[in-house]
Amino acid sequence: VEASALPVLLEALKEEERSARFFAVYLLKKLGPEAKEALPDLEKLANTENRRFRDSIREAIAAIEGKPAEKKE
């Protein structure tokens, strides 16, 4: 994944289709610190009721911030 994909991934976070958002989160995690611009949008999504999606978002945030992911129940 290249940083040039960031604008498209940011838009995908706003999609109604959950699979599009999930894939965007996955790719943002792969981008790591290059995806810092996505942090505000990821923080907004981080309180979702879907545990799997919530965990993926937290992992992406941790990767972008350069930290190990926290496990929260």
Side-chain angles (χ1 to χ4, degrees), residues 1-22:
V1 181
E2 294 187 21
S4 61
L6 190 56
V8 174
L9 297 175
L10 291 173
E11 283 301 313
L13 289 177
K14 299 172 185 170
E15 288 290 325
E16 284 190 40
E17 179 63 39
R18 184 172 47 191
S19 62
R21 293 191 315 258
F22 191 85

Side-chain angles (χ1 to χ4, degrees), residues 14-54:
K14 299 172 185 170
E15 288 290 325
E16 284 190 40
E17 179 63 39
R18 184 172 47 191
S19 62
R21 293 191 315 258
F22 191 85
F23 194 60
V25 169
Y26 171 78
L27 293 175
L28 289 166
K29 176 183 171 183
K30 294 291 184 189
L31 273 174
E34 292 182 84
K36 281 194 184 286
E37 186 179 337
L39 286 173
D41 291 327
L42 290 171
E43 292 287 346
K44 289 177 190 172
L45 293 173
N47 292 320
T48 183
E49 290 185 22
N50 183 301
R51 188 176 122 196
R52 185 173 161 213
F53 188 46
R54 185 176 59 238

